[in-house]
Amino acid sequence: MAWSRLRTSAARRTILSSNPRHFACSLSRVPCNVGVRVWEIRDLYPRRRIPRTSMKESWEIRRASLHDVDDLASLCKAAVDPEDYVIEHLEDLVLLGVVHVALDDDRIVGMMHYSPTIDGNAWLGAARTHPRYRRRGVASALIQSFVGLAARSRVHALRLWSSASNPTGMASVKASGFREVARFSRVIRPTDKGSPVVPLPFDMDLVRDVADSAILRLCNGYVPYGRYFVALTPANVHLLASAGAFYRVAGGITVVSRHPEEDSEESIEFGLVAGDAAKVLRGIPAAAGRLGARTVASFLPHDPKLLEAARKAGFEIVPWGKEAVLFERSVEVGPTSYRKRRTFAEIAAGKREGYAALGLLAGKHDHGHTGPHEDRWNP
Ligand SMILES: CC(C)(COP(=O)(O)OP(=O)(O)OC[C@H]1O[C@@H](n2cnc3c(N)ncnc32)[C@H](O)[C@@H]1OP(=O)(O)O)[C@@H](O)C(=O)NCCC(=O)NCCS
């Protein structure tokens, strides 16, 4: 008979009291005179079965190459579905940035992508963990590997976005120390025909307009640029102006970027920076048309009034980006270290003078005729 079925029966009590092991146990742990039965104590302290998956595991992480593309596609199919948008970009992800994979023996069970951004930070994306390996720290390990890469590359911040409707994605990035910095909505519409537009040069007026922008206050100063987001600090205003990214549209300011790996004629990405939002939104389709694109897309600050103005200007909200939450995580970058020990070539050169010393320090393919190449001693 099953133990649970005996739980309240007299038969169970008989078994307990007649079994010497149970008896000894109850004698040593529970004094007989407290009037508490063993099974009542068990009910007070239910047995917690700690699943293997909740224990910290370590994962072997390596960089993916083009050889892994088929396995990465299988992983995406299992992690999301056969239509996962990441699948058609896998080769680009491997070639334009760094894809790290987590391995169970030789099997790829998780992936994530890291790409440097124009402002010297990095963007994470394409997080995929095989369903059978979830909640075992795979995504956390991949993020940690990129924190290491960022620290070694002197990158101070990692950013990524997750849909507010993806609680798993939101929970996993928060668990890895990311904090929300802004919310956006993805919008898109066809372009119009329009008059010429010119890029805005860098000057202090531009910096002031950006600093005073009411639009940017809605999104904490971040704008979409390329496939990521950038904080419009004065330094980044200078950077983007030098890249020719700012355009005056309908008296306001926009930031424009393209996706060079795609057909640049097809689509253009813009960010709302400053001005009268409704007017700028109405002017953008013609400006984008003039820049040669057929569709124009953006991440707009997730603000009801602004999104209503976008709707009136003919933009549609894209379902997958209805509420895109931008996250950021700072990275501890150690102090710059300078090499203090002299190399063998420097020591040898110190014992000679003139041309012979220079020869020792020069590369072996250069005019130096003596000594090893300095780099052989400084791998
Ligand atoms: C999101 C995803 C990558 C997370 O991968 P994962 O390897 O399971 O994540 P981790 O095991 O590293 O999770 C770390 C922490 O995140 C949180 N977390 C992850 N999944 C969670 C869930 N389903 N519910 C609640 N918290 C969760 C937990 O705090 C977890 O730590 P714990 O297990 O010790 O409690 C995975 O679920 C996935 O591939 N989803 C489909 C694709 C996707 O949504 N990508 C993310 C886009 S932002």
Side-chain angles (χ1 to χ4, degrees):
M1 196 181 285
W3 175 251
S4 55
R5 286 202 217 132
L6 286 171
R7 198 165 166 192
T8 52
S9 70
R12 184 171 169 184
R13 256 162 263 162
T14 315
I15 289 174
L16 264 183
S17 52
S18 60
N19 182 331
R21 264 183 68 216
H22 284 296
F23 194 59
C25 182
S26 61
L27 259 187
S28 59
R29 299 240 173 125
V30 185
C32 294
N33 59 359
V34 295
V36 180
R37 318 260 187 233
V38 172
W39 56 90
E40 287 171 340
I41 291 175
R42 283 204 183 138
D43 285 345
L44 279 175
Y45 298 95
R47 251 200 250 171
R48 239 179 96 233
R49 189 166 164 269
I50 301 171
R52 199 172 77 88
T53 53
S54 78
M55 293 157 74
K56 286 264 175 245
E57 292 174 83
S58 64
W59 296 97
E60 202 185 318
I61 308 277
R62 70 160 166 83
R63 187 173 180 173
S65 74
L66 286 178
H67 292 293
D68 297 311
V69 165
D70 288 345
D71 289 344
L72 294 176
S74 306
L75 171 66
C76 293
K77 283 178 195 164
V80 179
D81 62 45
E83 307 302 318
D84 185 6
Y85 77 95
V86 168
I87 295 171
E88 65 173 300
H89 297 293
L90 284 171
E91 287 188 8
D92 286 338
L93 295 184
V94 169
L95 295 172
L96 307 170
V98 181
V99 174
H100 274 183
V101 289
L103 302 171
D104 183 11
D105 286 332
D106 280 344
R107 182 174 176 208
I108 293 179
V109 297
M111 67 175 280
M112 206 175 283
H113 182 246
Y114 170 108
S115 53
T117 57
I118 190 169
D119 61 344
N121 292 308
W123 182 254
L124 300 187
R128 301 285 181 267
T129 298
H130 192 284
R132 282 208 295 279
Y133 289 80
R134 300 242 168 111
R135 300 297 294 268
R136 291 172 61 178
V138 169
S140 310
L142 286 162
I143 290 176
Q144 206 46 47
S145 74
F146 286 136
V147 170
L149 174 60
R152 291 193 298 281
S153 317
R154 309 200 60 73
V155 160
H156 290 263
L158 295 174
R159 296 192 190 110
L160 54 82
W161 79 266
S162 173
S163 170
S165 63
N166 179 358
T168 308
M170 298 280 288
S172 92
V173 296
K174 283 183 197 164
S176 280
F178 283 83
R179 67 183 178 97
E180 175 177 340
V181 289
R183 284 191 186 218
F184 293 88
S185 290
R186 181 74 173 164
V187 296
I188 193 161
R189 65 152 281 170
T191 53
D192 283 339
K193 288 203 172 76
S195 45
V197 281
V198 275
L200 280 172
F202 176 79
D203 58 25
M204 286 319 287
D205 286 344
L206 182 60
V207 174
R208 259 190 300 274
D209 286 349
V210 169
D212 296 343
S213 165
I215 297 173
L216 287 181
R217 274 199 289 280
L218 295 173
C219 51
N220 215 0
Y222 289 84
V223 287
Y225 182 77
R227 296 207 171 279
Y228 46 85
F229 293 81
V230 176
L232 280 187
T233 59
N236 286 343
V237 170
H238 182 258
L239 207 61
L240 293 183
S242 307
F246 290 113
Y247 285 84
R248 186 157 302 284
V249 173
I253 302 170
T254 60
V255 60
V256 172
S257 52
R258 295 164 190 273
H259 301 139
E261 73 277 16
E262 285 173 11
D263 178 6
S264 62
E265 299 294 300
E266 195 58 46
S267 171
I268 214 165
E269 182 84 31
F270 79 92
L272 214 48
V273 176
D276 177 333
K279 264 202 220 166
V280 181
L281 283 164
R282 283 196 299 275
I284 278 169
R290 188 68 200 191
L291 291 169
R294 271 177 244 149
T295 55
V296 57
S298 180
F299 279 99
L300 295 178
H302 184 72
D303 174 78
K305 275 192 197 155
L306 201 132
L307 292 175
E308 180 54 23
R311 198 190 56 75
K312 284 189 180 149
F315 286 93
E316 269 177 37
I317 294 184
V318 181
W320 57 257
K322 205 169 153 207
E323 196 168 352
V325 186
L326 176 63
F327 285 96
E328 189 172 90
R329 182 199 197 281
S330 57
V331 175
E332 288 253 344
V333 174
T336 311
S337 63
Y338 297 99
R339 178 167 55 80
K340 293 192 186 72
R341 255 176 52 187
R342 290 196 297 163
T343 65
F344 289 113
E346 283 167 343
I347 293 165
K351 294 176 187 160
R352 299 176 190 209
E353 285 178 355
Y355 182 79
L358 288 176
L360 270 183
L361 288 172
K364 67 178 172 192
H365 302 301
D366 260 324
H367 33 252
H369 65 283
T370 51
H373 188 297
E374 186 190 5
D375 287 351
R376 283 179 53 189
W377 306 102
N378 292 292

